[in-house]
Amino acid sequence: MEELEDRSGGWRESAAILCGRVVGADWMAETVRFHHHLCDDRGRPLSMHLTEDAKFRLYEELNRAELRLIAAIHTHPHEWVELSWIDQRNQICSRKDFWSIVAPWYGKSPWKLEDMGIHIRTGDGWGRLTVEQVRSHVRIEGASWNHTNIE
């Protein structure tokens, strides 16, 4: 979250991809890849862009490391943390059970999961977890995510 906040600089969107493993019913992120480390994400107040080349390189890295896409996280400028139609159409992954997390205020701290929009891809499209669901089903263990290359 610190890096998303720093990259946003209080004026532009920023994003990252959480990668990891699925063990039983648990989806566990083990590493994070920031869009601006993968390519020039051209962050603007209401948009950013991950190039196709960056996506393919990421998919190749994940395949070699036997990791999966777990979730995407990006920032929005205000408290609105729903997925815009642009967010919904431009997901890095459209697989069922993929998560898309939206952090308000360009990722400015303090960070509370309850203030974020946590959306899950279902067979019927995107659904947002309620605050109660976030409190009972989402947990963060350890804070030492590695943002270097997966290789």
Side-chain angles (χ1 to χ4, degrees), residues 4 6-14 41-47 75 106:
L4 291 176
D6 289 346
R7 177 65 177 174
S8 288
W11 70 272
R12 67 175 165 194
E13 289 194 9
S14 62
D41 62 7
R42 295 183 266 162
R44 293 188 171 36
L46 297 174
S47 67
T75 64
Y106 291 128

Side-chain angles (χ1 to χ4, degrees), residues 51-69:
T51 66
E52 291 300 314
D53 184 56
K55 290 175 191 176
F56 286 121
R57 281 187 282 115
L58 174 65
Y59 300 148
E60 288 173 353
E61 289 177 16
L62 293 175
N63 188 46
R64 282 192 302 275
E66 297 182 358
L67 295 175
R68 296 179 66 177
L69 297 169

